[in-house]
Amino acid sequence: MASLSEQLQDVRSQAEVCLYSGGRVVDLRAGVVAMANLPLPPCSKYHHIAAETMVIENSFGRNRKETLGSLQRLSTALNILEKYGCNLTNPNRPKYWRTVKHNNPVFRATVDAIQGGRAVLCLYGYSNQQPDGLSFPDDVTDPDVGRVAAVTLEVMSLRMELEMLIKEAHPHPEFYERIIPTLRHKDVGLNTDAVISSRHADSQTKSLAFSLYRRSSRESNRSHSLSANNQSLRSIQVFSTFSSKHPENCAICGIFRISAHCLTCLQGLCSDCDRLYHSYPERANHHRTAVTSSTSSKNRSNEGSSTWRCLHCTKVNSIQDVLCDECEQPRLEPLGSKEEECQPATIIEWQCKSCTMVNAASSILCEVCERPRLATRPPVTPSHPPITPPRPPAPVLGMPGDPDSQHGEKKGVSPEEVYTSMRVAGDSNILPCKWLKTELPLLLDQIRMLVATSSFQSFSDKTSTEDKNNITQDLTKEAGKVVDLAETESVIQLSRAEAKQAWLTAGGDTERAARQALRDRLAKVKELCALGFSDESHCHEVLRQSGGEVRGALALLQRPLLEPFHKRIWSEKPEPPVDIHHPDKQRVCRWLLAVYDLPSWGRCELALSLLLEHSAPYSLEDVVQAVQESHDREFIKRVLAKECPICLSVFPHSKMQSLTSCQCSVCCGCFQQHFTIAVRDKHIRDMVCPVCWEPDINDPEHLNSYFSTLDIQLRECLEPEVYELFHKKLTEQALIKDPKFLWCCHCSYGFIYDGDQLKVTCFQCRNSFCAHCKKPWESQHAGLSCEQFQSWKRENDPEYQRQGLAGYLRDNGITCPNCRFQYALSKGGCMHFCCSQCRYQFCSGCNNPFHTTCAVDQCTVSGLHAHHPRDCLFYLRDWEPSRLQALLQNNGVAFNTEPPPGTQTDLCGVIEQKDEGGQQSDAACGAQTQPGHAGLCEKHYREYLVSLINSHSIDPAPLYSSNELLLACRRYKVEDTHRDGEDTFTYYTRLLEKLMDEVPLGDKVPRKK
């Protein structure tokens, strides 16, 4: 069986050939469906267009519904791009196929509104930038049909895949759900399950490691099987590698070497942590053993590679054992080389466990969340022996098994506060949380007083003695209280939040905290002054109000400055227009840059200079739109000055509209007025360009394509009632194509008939007619077929007999091939007939269409014309009646030469359409009849004989003369080369056989009997 890539290549090649060779639409659609259903991702299926990129860039939304809506807009744009490609691959390309206009509303609303739309046009060949759109290069005479077909096929396939996705009928939606996450779930916009489960798994792993690390000996491990422990071994080893890279360090701070091992809580602690941790009354009775560095190194040297020592009970176990035989705790120490254990690590940076910020090794607090470093070794200079560093001033988070930290966090107290309070309180029996509540506020007020005193002393050096005495008296009155900034502006007043932060940073040292707080405050004031706020006293006040936060202080400082702006944006008054003549040109440019999102400062200056020109009738919006598209000044001027060919007024390019079928551009007012009149007073086929009257919509295929794009344009410019009338006419035009659509022969009313009876009653006039032959219903028609009923009328109806052949020609009159409306008229005279119901133009002899854009290859005829078969009345009406009679006699077909009894014989009574004073009316022929012509004039007798020839499908070629035969061969592109040694009779006989074999009779010629 062929691989998917081979299947794709086979389907592509067949569909591309079908597309550019004019194959059947059914075959092309089958190829597109097969290509869309192949189980391949977009990046592998589409080789020309960037399908995956287009889908990603044009799909947006917070949930599935919004995403599908954006994909629907992309599908609409692909539909328009598909039409461009089909026009290029069609052998009968439109007249203006070389250009694509940007001012076309359909183009702007569809192709230009998506990402990648213009790139597809470039793949088609529209690579030359024009003032009003894109075009093929001048040296390109014809498009590369093969490449265009390949790109168009991918556009068709991608559009079909999107339609299937929208209708939830795609066989492989997982390819698009992978690149568009919001398509995965109907109710949830993003697939958050994976994220949640991942986080949950991480938390489970972490909690498992902590529980195994902190669990007391001989607890619930006995109830777990060895297999369960083996399953969790990987998580345990990951945690142990993460948190216990240096097992000799303290379990609480992770920095200093272990000096004591607690057998009760199973932790190794340094001297300071051991003193603080076991000073709590409930932990004072824990059994601890001292651990020296020599003992540790000795134990390591005695351990072989086949054993490992438990960190909890110091039991030596076999290397195959996962759990300790004594305490059943897992092995937490990774097996590493002795050099790695003895070599001190040099840390250049550390990652915060709270916010994952990477900080420098010299910093103790995280720069983002200001939380201390967790279990990381301080930097050690490799060239010097390791020196035990002093105790860090900041507390350390993450104390396993510390109930004080857990109890404090439940009450809203951070571990740093608990640690610092325990350090300051010393051996006091007061609980940390209680101490923080009762004693800490006094310490914070003391720090604030120290800062105020320090700032006062600094200020006193710059003031007179009299002012200094006044301030001293004020400070004496406020002894034991915080100095009021409102009363003494020179005194810096801290907030309690600032004092508390400084106290934590200084590790509980009050004087050090005051100095640090003062330095921080002055640095923040300097930072605010650098931002343009020069009032230092005001900066101190807002910093106090914001708790020392620079961002909060900046918001308070900016609030009065933004008050006029806030009042203006919340005001119900309209926004005042910008004054382009304002003397501050940079202000106007900034306004243009902010409001209209121009790409650069230079474009803003260009737009302003165009607006300031004296004779320029440009509006601001027009100039901005033109400047956004180009930076060429002369090009922009041409774009802003377009002349309407109807009203001769000058408009910018954005105010002009054009159709997709021609190059003409008219102003929006003329465009609206033209189509409003056409919709109200004219036929649906009169809705063409008001300048060149393109396109020729006589072709049904072009008609559907044209109206599909015209509908989008008219929706925006027509009044609602006019647009509704347009849709009504468009619906009627579509209903005419329905096989069940019938025209009433009495009142010309059309409707859909679903019944199976011959007798039909019109809903409009309530008269009846036959659904098959469309003749007025008579009681004699009941129970008889239409042929039997016509035979009965010829034999028994005196009125019908009196009409003679004129009645025959009336019954075999003209039927429109487009809407099937019947006319009881003669075909003689001009063969060009225009249906009054649908405006379809055709030949009344062969039903072939009349058009100005010819669909026949190598046709040199210009103007309105049609191509007729050789048995059409268009050619046979030039034959003499005797010659037509001879053709019928040779084929054994009877014909009339004498009129029936009682028929008027002097004047021809055949009804025909006449043009009288520009008005078309139906009237009797009135021409003189000839003997032997069955009571008809010569013209209508010829029509009668040709109708018999057509009804019996008789080929007139056997009666061709030599000149007529040669002319017919050249007309229908039959090779007429004279062979060597071939006589004349053989030559013409061969040509006649070749013509009759290769060129069939007309397939649309009426052949009623």
Side-chain angles (χ1 to χ4, degrees):
M1 184 177 179
S3 63
L4 289 177
S5 59
E6 294 174 348
Q7 295 180 32
L8 175 63
Q9 185 62 30
D10 184 48
V11 171
R12 287 178 65 97
S13 58
Q14 294 180 7
E16 289 175 11
V17 172
C18 184
L19 183 60
Y20 66 74
S21 63
R24 295 193 306 165
V25 178
V26 178
D27 298 337
L28 176 61
R29 181 173 178 80
V32 174
V33 172
M35 182 175 175
N37 288 330
L38 283 176
L40 288 172
C43 57
S44 302
K45 186 182 297 184
Y46 300 101
H47 302 156
H48 297 281
I49 64 174
E52 184 169 321
T53 304
M54 290 182 67
V55 171
I56 294 175
E57 292 181 349
N58 292 285
S59 61
F60 46 85
R62 294 170 295 180
N63 50 44
R64 180 183 177 87
K65 182 178 180 181
E66 294 179 0
T67 304
L68 292 180
S70 62
L71 293 181
Q72 181 63 58
R73 289 187 288 273
L74 175 59
S75 175
T76 303
L78 292 176
N79 186 20
I80 301 299
L81 290 172
E82 176 185 327
K83 294 181 186 297
Y84 282 118
C86 292
N87 286 339
L88 294 177
T89 57
N90 193 337
N92 305 309
R93 290 187 290 273
K95 184 177 181 180
Y96 302 103
W97 61 270
R98 297 184 61 86
T99 60
V100 174
K101 290 193 172 184
H102 291 171
N103 68 328
N104 189 336
V106 179
F107 180 87
R108 290 203 305 264
T110 55
V111 178
D112 219 21
I114 66 169
Q115 299 291 332
R118 294 196 182 188
V120 176
L121 292 176
C122 289
L123 293 177
Y124 285 155
Y126 294 102
S127 57
N128 194 12
Q129 179 71 38
Q130 296 292 334
D132 55 351
L134 297 172
S135 70
F136 275 80
D138 296 335
D139 55 346
V140 176
T141 57
D142 292 299
D144 187 351
V145 180
R147 178 177 175 84
V148 173
V151 176
T152 306
L153 178 63
E154 293 191 354
V155 171
M156 291 179 172
S157 176
L158 180 59
R159 185 173 73 87
M160 179 162 291
E161 287 201 64
L162 294 179
E163 292 293 337
M164 290 190 293
L165 273 177
I166 295 170
K167 298 176 182 178
E168 299 185 359
H170 199 290
H172 307 285
E174 62 275 3
F175 296 134
Y176 289 89
E177 292 174 354
R178 176 181 60 83
I179 59 178
I180 310 176
T182 50
L183 291 178
R184 296 175 185 170
H185 298 288
K186 293 185 178 180
D187 297 327
V188 181
L190 292 175
N191 187 11
T192 57
D193 295 342
V195 180
I196 296 173
S197 62
S198 174
R199 291 179 179 175
H200 183 64
D202 291 344
S203 64
Q204 284 183 341
T205 305
K206 187 174 181 180
S207 62
L208 174 62
F210 270 111
S211 61
L212 288 175
Y213 187 73
R214 296 167 54 186
R215 198 181 308 175
S216 60
S217 62
R218 294 182 181 85
E219 264 186 288
S220 59
N221 278 336
R222 296 174 186 246
S223 61
H224 289 73
S225 63
L226 182 60
S227 61
N229 290 324
N230 289 333
Q231 290 176 1
S232 60
L233 174 61
R234 180 170 298 179
S235 299
I236 297 169
Q237 289 178 343
V238 169
F239 172 76
S240 63
T241 305
F242 179 75
S243 62
S244 303
K245 291 183 179 179
H246 304 284
E248 303 169 355
N249 292 352
C250 174
I252 293 181
C253 66
I255 299 177
F256 301 101
R257 299 297 180 92
I258 296 175
S259 62
H261 186 83
C262 181
L263 299 179
T264 306
C265 56
L266 300 178
Q267 293 185 109
L269 308 175
C270 64
S271 58
D272 289 343
C273 290
D274 178 52
R275 178 179 59 81
L276 291 173
Y277 186 71
H278 290 96
S279 63
Y280 194 72
E282 295 181 0
R283 295 191 287 269
N285 297 325
H286 284 192
H287 180 62
R288 305 190 300 279
T289 58
V291 177
T292 61
S293 58
S294 59
T295 305
S296 177
S297 59
K298 181 179 179 180
N299 292 338
R300 286 199 306 271
S301 62
N302 292 335
E303 290 174 4
S305 60
S306 61
T307 60
W308 60 277
R309 182 180 297 276
C310 179
L311 293 180
H312 302 280
C313 64
T314 67
K315 170 71 176 179
V316 177
N317 302 276
S318 175
I319 192 66
Q320 290 83 11
D321 296 333
V322 178
L323 301 179
C324 176
D325 293 337
E326 181 66 21
C327 62
E328 296 186 0
Q329 292 292 327
R331 181 176 61 198
L332 296 180
E333 180 178 8
L335 297 176
S337 63
K338 293 183 179 180
E339 294 131 4
E340 184 178 350
E341 292 177 359
C342 300
Q343 180 68 28
T346 302
I347 301 176
I348 60 174
E349 59 184 17
W350 59 277
Q351 186 178 28
C352 178
K353 301 300 188 300
S354 301
C355 65
T356 70
M357 171 67 182
V358 178
N359 302 272
S362 58
S363 61
I364 297 176
L365 297 180
C366 175
E367 295 181 2
V368 175
C369 65
E370 296 186 353
R371 288 182 173 269
R373 179 172 60 202
L374 295 179
T376 53
R377 186 188 298 272
V380 178
T381 306
S383 60
H384 298 85
I387 302 174
T388 303
R391 186 71 188 181
V396 179
L397 285 174
M399 297 182 181
D402 186 1
D404 289 336
S405 297
Q406 297 176 0
H407 181 68
E409 288 183 356
K410 291 180 180 179
K411 292 191 174 184
V413 179
S414 65
E416 300 98 315
E417 297 178 52
V418 174
Y419 180 90
T420 309
S421 65
M422 292 172 61
R423 184 174 183 179
V424 174
D427 297 334
S428 176
N429 293 330
I430 304 177
L431 294 177
C433 292
K434 186 177 180 181
W435 187 93
L436 289 171
K437 187 175 181 181
T438 58
E439 301 296 333
L440 181 60
L442 299 177
L443 282 178
L444 297 181
D445 288 343
Q446 183 180 355
I447 294 173
R448 296 170 66 196
M449 176 60 82
L450 289 174
V451 171
T453 305
S454 177
S455 62
F456 164 71
Q457 291 175 354
S458 176
F459 177 74
S460 63
D461 297 337
K462 303 177 183 179
T463 58
S464 62
T465 306
E466 182 180 356
D467 294 336
K468 183 167 63 175
N469 293 334
N470 294 334
I471 297 175
T472 306
Q473 292 175 5
D474 293 338
L475 289 175
T476 303
K477 294 178 181 179
E478 299 293 333
K481 300 181 181 179
V482 179
V483 179
D484 190 359
L485 181 62
E487 298 177 358
T488 308
E489 296 183 356
S490 61
V491 176
I492 298 176
Q493 183 180 11
L494 292 181
S495 64
R496 283 197 173 182
E498 292 176 276
K500 186 175 182 179
Q501 183 63 39
W503 177 72
L504 291 174
T505 306
D509 190 338
T510 305
E511 294 183 359
R512 182 182 172 189
R515 291 193 298 271
Q516 183 64 37
L518 183 58
R519 285 195 298 269
D520 292 344
R521 169 61 75 85
L522 294 177
K524 294 174 183 178
V525 170
K526 185 177 181 181
E527 181 180 354
L528 293 176
C529 291
L531 295 175
F533 301 98
S534 57
D535 190 350
E536 294 186 3
S537 61
H538 190 38
C539 292
H540 281 293
E541 173 63 19
V542 294
L543 282 171
R544 184 189 64 81
Q545 294 177 6
S546 64
E549 293 289 336
V550 177
R551 183 171 297 180
L554 192 60
L556 293 175
L557 290 170
Q558 290 175 337
R559 186 173 300 169
L561 301 178
L562 293 175
E563 186 175 356
F565 171 73
H566 290 157
K567 289 182 178 179
R568 182 161 55 87
I569 63 174
W570 289 110
S571 175
E572 297 181 357
K573 297 180 181 180
E575 185 76 13
V578 66
D579 182 13
I580 60 173
H581 300 285
H582 195 278
D584 189 357
K585 302 305 179 185
Q586 289 193 356
R587 177 182 178 184
V588 181
C589 290
R590 287 195 301 269
W591 185 86
L592 292 173
L593 196 64
V595 175
Y596 291 99
D597 195 22
L598 290 176
S600 66
W601 183 265
R603 297 283 182 98
C604 296
E605 293 179 334
L606 176 60
L608 183 58
S609 64
L610 290 170
L611 290 171
L612 292 176
E613 289 186 358
H614 296 291
S615 60
Y618 310 140
S619 66
L620 177 61
E621 289 74 15
D622 297 334
V623 172
V624 168
Q625 184 175 354
V627 169
Q628 284 177 339
E629 296 180 358
S630 175
H631 59 84
D632 188 350
R633 188 184 189 89
E634 297 302 323
F635 171 78
I636 293 174
K637 283 188 173 183
R638 291 194 300 270
V639 168
L640 293 174
K642 293 283 186 178
E643 185 181 62
C644 174
I646 297 180
C647 64
L648 303 181
S649 300
V650 177
F651 296 92
H653 190 66
S654 59
K655 296 294 191 301
M656 305 286 283
Q657 289 217 30
S658 62
L659 300 174
T660 58
S661 57
C662 64
Q663 297 277 18
C664 307
S665 295
V666 297
C667 67
C668 296
C670 295
F671 186 88
Q672 178 182 5
Q673 186 176 5
H674 166 72
F675 281 100
T676 300
I677 295 174
V679 171
R680 286 177 174 172
D681 305 333
K682 298 182 180 180
H683 193 268
I684 189 75
R685 289 177 178 266
D686 293 327
M687 298 181 189
V688 292
C689 176
V691 180
C692 63
W693 302 102
E694 291 286 344
D696 178 15
I697 54 178
N698 209 34
D699 187 354
E701 181 180 354
H702 291 166
L703 181 72
N704 296 333
S705 175
Y706 172 71
F707 279 116
S708 64
T709 55
L710 180 64
D711 176 61
I712 302 176
Q713 292 180 264
L714 297 185
R715 185 186 309 156
E716 298 179 355
C717 68
L718 293 184
E719 297 293 334
E721 62 273 7
V722 180
Y723 179 73
E724 185 178 353
L725 178 61
F726 166 72
H727 253 274
K728 182 179 179 181
K729 289 189 175 183
L730 208 59
T731 304
E732 293 175 354
Q733 185 74 18
L735 289 177
I736 290 175
K737 305 293 183 180
D738 196 303
K740 298 179 181 180
F741 185 84
L742 298 178
W743 291 103
C744 175
C745 64
H746 299 281
C747 65
S748 302
Y749 178 75
F751 56 92
I752 299 291
Y753 177 66
D754 290 328
D756 54 358
Q757 297 181 357
L758 289 179
K759 182 179 179 180
V760 181
T761 302
C762 175
F763 297 99
Q764 183 75 14
C765 65
R766 311 305 299 175
N767 292 321
S768 300
F769 61 95
C770 176
H772 185 262
C773 63
K774 313 300 188 298
K775 300 296 186 297
W777 183 261
E778 298 182 27
S779 59
Q780 293 80 4
H781 200 332
L784 299 178
S785 64
C786 295
E787 292 77 10
Q788 293 172 344
F789 174 66
Q790 291 298 326
S791 177
W792 178 87
K793 283 182 70 67
R794 285 194 297 269
E795 296 174 359
N796 301 284
D797 189 348
E799 180 66 24
Y800 189 86
Q801 294 173 352
R802 186 168 56 253
Q803 294 176 0
L805 292 183
Y808 170 82
L809 292 178
R810 182 195 64 194
D811 292 341
N812 294 273
I814 301 173
T815 301
C816 176
N818 184 57
C819 66
R820 304 187 302 279
F821 190 82
Q822 292 185 350
Y823 298 88
L825 300 172
S826 166
K827 298 185 181 72
C830 180
M831 306 302 297
H832 173 246
F833 192 85
C834 182
C835 178
S836 62
Q837 298 295 327
C838 65
R839 298 298 178 90
Y840 186 71
Q841 302 179 68
F842 61 96
C843 171
S844 59
C846 61
N847 288 339
N848 281 348
F850 270 83
H851 40 60
T852 55
T853 305
C854 188
V856 178
D857 295 335
Q858 301 179 354
C859 176
T860 59
V861 182
S862 60
L864 186 66
H865 68 285
H867 292 270
H868 311 273
R870 62 177 177 271
D871 59 338
C872 176
L873 179 62
F874 181 81
Y875 297 122
L876 296 181
R877 64 181 175 175
D878 296 332
W879 287 22
E880 292 296 330
S882 58
R883 192 180 181 189
L884 296 173
Q885 290 174 347
L887 181 62
L888 290 171
Q889 289 174 352
N890 293 342
N891 290 274
V893 179
F895 53 89
N896 293 334
T897 57
E898 298 297 330
T903 305
Q904 182 182 1
T905 58
D906 53 346
L907 297 177
C908 179
V910 176
I911 303 299
E912 61 181 5
Q913 192 176 73
K914 296 183 177 181
D915 190 358
E916 299 176 355
Q919 301 291 331
Q920 292 182 344
S921 60
D922 301 339
C925 173
Q928 187 67 37
T929 61
Q930 301 292 331
H933 289 176
L936 301 175
C937 65
E938 182 175 348
K939 177 181 66 174
H940 289 117
Y941 187 64
R942 290 178 184 177
E943 180 182 344
Y944 161 68
L945 295 177
V946 172
S947 67
L948 293 177
I949 292 173
N950 290 335
S951 62
H952 290 84
S953 301
I954 299 175
D955 195 335
L959 294 186
Y960 278 170
S961 63
S962 57
N963 292 333
E964 290 176 332
L965 182 59
L966 288 175
L967 183 61
C969 289
R970 292 166 186 169
R971 180 187 301 128
Y972 300 114
K973 306 295 185 297
V974 177
E975 184 181 1
D976 57 351
T977 306
H978 201 298
R979 298 176 181 175
D980 295 337
E982 188 177 28
D983 58 23
T984 303
F985 178 78
T986 306
Y987 170 64
Y988 285 114
T989 303
R990 181 175 58 82
L991 280 186
L992 179 61
E993 294 177 355
K994 192 176 181 68
L995 175 66
M996 297 178 65
D997 290 342
E998 294 183 2
V999 184
L1001 300 178
D1003 57 344
K1004 298 180 181 179
V1005 174
R1007 306 192 184 278
K1008 298 180 181 179
K1009 295 185 179 180

